Each structure stands twice: as C-alpha cells, then as structure tokens.
Amino acid sequence: MIHSRNRRLRVNESVRSLVRECTLTTNDFVMPIFVMEGENKEEPIASMPGIFRRSIDLTVKECKELFSLGVKAVNLYMKVSDDLKDNTGKEAWNKNGLMQNTIRAIKDAVPEMVLMPDVALDPYSIYGHDGIIENGKIANDATNDALARMSLSHAEAGADIVAPSDMMDGRVQVIREALEENGFTDVGILSYAAKYASSFYGPFRSALDSAPKDNIEIPKDKKTYQMDFHNSREAINEVFKDIEEGADIIMIKPGLPYLDVVSKVREAIDLPIAVYNVSGEYAMVKAAAQNGWLDNDKTIIESLTCIKRAGADMIFTYFAKEAAMILNR
C-alpha cells in the first residue's frame, strides 16, 4: 500500500495554488523602453514583434498604460542620432538630452513610476562600445568618469535608480561617490554585476544601433569587459565587488540560459536580484508563437515564473506589458 502520494497536492488548481512555492505578479516586472527623437512617432522593431521605438510624448502615454496595468518600473534606452555620437559619449550627460528630457516628462506625468535609466556609452559612441576607446582599447577609468557624469545627470533629471550596464571595473564606487557628493543619497544603483558577452543581445543592438562597429583598430566585440559565458564562479566575484562598492540591486544578464548563475548568486547574497529576460529570449518565444509552435501566453508566464523561481526579485522583460495583461485576466 502506498502511504505517501505526492499527487494529492496536485489534484486540482485550488489545491495546487495553496501549496505553490512561487507566484508571479505585476510587481515583479520592469519594462525596458526605447525612446527616439521627434513627436508622435512610433517605429516597430522588426526583430522584436510588439516592441517599438517611440518619441517622448508616446513614451509617456505608454508609461501611463503600464502603470495602470500594475507595471511600476521602466528601464530607459535612447536611440541617439548619429550626429550626436563621438568617442567621449558626452551627449550622455547633456542636461537637455533625450534621456534627461524623457526622465522629466515621465516623472511629471507618472510621478510614482520607478525610472531606471540605462548607464552605458554604447548608444552615444561612434564605435558602439560601452566605453571610451584609447589606443585601440577600452579605457576603463576614463569611462568610469564619464559614467559618473552620466549617472549624475540622470539623478538631476529625476531618476530613481541608475543602472550601469557597462561592466567596467570599479564603476559602481565612482558612481556612488558622485551621487553622494552631490546630495543624491536616495538614488539607488542597480549594477549589472554579472553581464555576459552573449549572442542573445542581437535584437536589442539592432533596436539602438549600438553594436560594435567593424573597425580593425578597435575591439570587434565586448568580450574584454563583459563576462565569458563559460564561467559561473566568476559571477560571484563580480557580484561581491559591486556590493562592496555600494550597489543596491544586483543584475544578472541574460536570463533563461543563465538560471544556474541566478541560483548560485541567490544562495550567496541577500540583496535584491534583478534578472534580464533579454531581447533574444523574447524574439525566440515570439517567433515560435507566431509559427504556432508554442502557446504565446502560457510560454510567457512559464518563462517568467522560472526566472523568479531561480531567485529573481525583479525581472526586466519585454514581455512586461503583455504578461501584466495576461495576469490581470
């Protein structure tokens, strides 16, 4: 006779929901948003069905809708005009730049929306790299100074949390010191502590035209600063260094292919963990769903739940709006 039957706790949805270990809600989501110059403009991103570049006015409208659905945080990226790009990235800290104007506009319209602007130079660089190029290499410390200026301009515009995604060594400390010295003690830092050099970023780079340029005099990829995808112990080292430097939230990127890293970091730290469900992950699900190979809604919810189950406290995902609609139903 069988005395222990695990299926007793799976007998129907009511029982399953009572013993469920992990529950997904709209509070878990951060929506990445792409912003472009202009007015009343919207451009679809071909490799990311359902995702758009929008002008500031339409971005504000989108943020209002997101907030009404229960998505309370957005991650901001700018599509910068080529004539504003150079090797220093100085447009990144222009007080009247696209990012700064976007932050102010959203804060005026949706004051309680948590704004997490991206901090990296690649959208502003003529080379498409996250750092300043000196003698054919990424200049770590010069880049850190630029990132601090960029972060400070975001804080002045009204950002709640700055999100350095560049993977320069020591940049969290430089940014934290700049914020503290200028009175922005309440502005948080969400550090991309374990960001891997991944093939899953392709659709994102096409959305912002931020891929490294094909130039023999500069690194052809981002492998000298983003992590090697063969490694996981290295991620723990990166995470602890960023915590020591003053990070408030730790990011692991990409998401689904790296859940082993998420789980290891979760066991090692108590700080909140963010996980980025990146553009390539989004594109694969959408392509399969459009071909009838996967159920769109069920796959979205399962994927995001798996990320949370692995240890994420928040999930950066292009599915945020769609997932919120599904959950609200």
Side-chain angles (χ1 to χ4, degrees), residues 15-304:
V15 172
R16 290 192 296 270
S17 65
L18 280 173
V19 298
R20 192 158 286 155
E21 300 172 25
C22 174
T23 302
L24 192 70
T25 77
T26 59
N27 292 325
D28 297 317
F29 303 146
V30 179
M31 179 72 179
I33 288 181
F34 300 116
V35 185
M36 61 187 293
E37 294 283 2
E39 186 174 349
N40 196 33
K41 291 180 67 177
E42 181 177 83
E43 295 178 353
I45 298 169
S47 57
M48 301 174 69
I51 304 299
F52 300 85
R53 287 182 290 265
R54 296 184 175 93
S55 53
I56 293 177
D57 54 331
L58 296 187
T59 297
V60 168
K61 182 180 179 182
E62 180 73 0
C63 287
K64 288 180 178 178
E65 185 174 357
L66 285 166
F67 199 83
S68 72
L69 291 168
V71 179
K72 302 183 180 71
V74 294
N75 177 218
L76 300 172
Y77 297 90
M78 303 296 114
K79 176 67 170 67
V80 181
S81 301
D82 287 344
D83 61 333
L84 295 175
K85 297 181 181 183
D86 64 9
N87 185 35
T88 70
K90 63 180 182 298
E91 177 63 20
W93 54 88
N94 178 357
K95 291 186 177 182
N96 294 307
L98 183 59
M99 175 70 86
Q100 291 74 9
N101 289 336
T102 300
I103 293 170
R104 285 190 285 267
I106 297 173
K107 270 299 176 188
D108 286 344
V110 197
E112 295 184 20
M113 180 68 84
V114 178
L115 302 187
M116 302 181 182
D118 181 63
V119 177
L121 297 184
D122 50 333
Y124 303 88
S125 168
I126 55 174
Y127 298 117
H129 272 288
D130 293 46
I132 295 169
I133 303 290
E134 291 181 359
N135 300 318
K137 297 180 180 180
I138 309 298
N140 190 94
D141 296 0
T143 298
N144 284 348
D145 291 339
L147 297 174
R149 297 182 70 175
M150 186 178 183
S151 299
L152 193 56
S153 76
H154 294 175
E156 290 170 344
D160 301 285
I161 298 171
V162 294
S165 62
D166 55 285
M167 287 296 287
M168 297 299 119
D169 292 333
R171 90 277 203 213
V172 172
Q173 181 174 331
V174 176
I175 292 170
R176 173 56 67 202
E177 289 174 352
L179 293 172
E180 292 287 325
E181 290 169 1
N182 286 275
F184 294 104
T185 56
D186 291 335
V187 173
I189 298 177
L190 184 151
S191 172
Y192 288 58
K195 180 179 180 180
Y196 286 83
S198 172
S199 299
F200 287 91
Y201 303 149
F204 173 93
R205 289 175 179 168
S206 65
L208 291 184
D209 186 28
S210 61
K213 300 300 182 280
D214 187 10
N215 186 321
I216 196 170
E217 297 177 355
I218 64 172
K220 64 180 180 179
D221 52 40
K222 301 188 178 187
K223 293 181 179 179
T224 64
Y225 46 100
Q226 295 179 356
M227 285 181 56
D228 184 342
F229 66 81
H230 299 84
N231 300 345
S232 63
R233 293 193 304 270
E234 182 185 4
I236 304 297
N237 181 37
E238 291 280 359
V239 164
F240 277 125
K241 284 183 177 178
D242 283 5
I243 292 173
E244 290 170 4
E245 292 175 16
D248 302 288
I249 303 169
I250 292 300
M251 169 70 85
I252 297 165
K253 181 180 182 181
L256 290 171
Y258 292 79
L259 294 187
D260 62 317
V261 178
V262 176
S263 182
K264 286 181 180 180
V265 173
R266 177 74 289 163
E267 292 176 2
I269 70 170
D270 295 324
L271 254 61
I273 294 175
V275 175
Y276 208 130
N277 179 221
V278 301
S279 59
E281 299 169 54
Y282 176 91
M284 288 192 300
V285 170
K286 281 299 179 185
Q290 288 178 349
N291 279 284
W293 300 333
L294 291 174
D295 181 295
N296 182 78
D297 293 5
K298 291 179 180 178
T299 304
I300 289 172
I301 298 304
E302 181 179 345
S303 298
L304 298 178

Side-chain angles (χ1 to χ4, degrees), residues 8-20:
R8 293 183 189 123
L9 299 182
R10 304 174 194 145
V11 66
N12 58 45
E13 177 58 23
S14 295
V15 172
R16 290 192 296 270
S17 65
L18 280 173
V19 298
R20 192 158 286 155

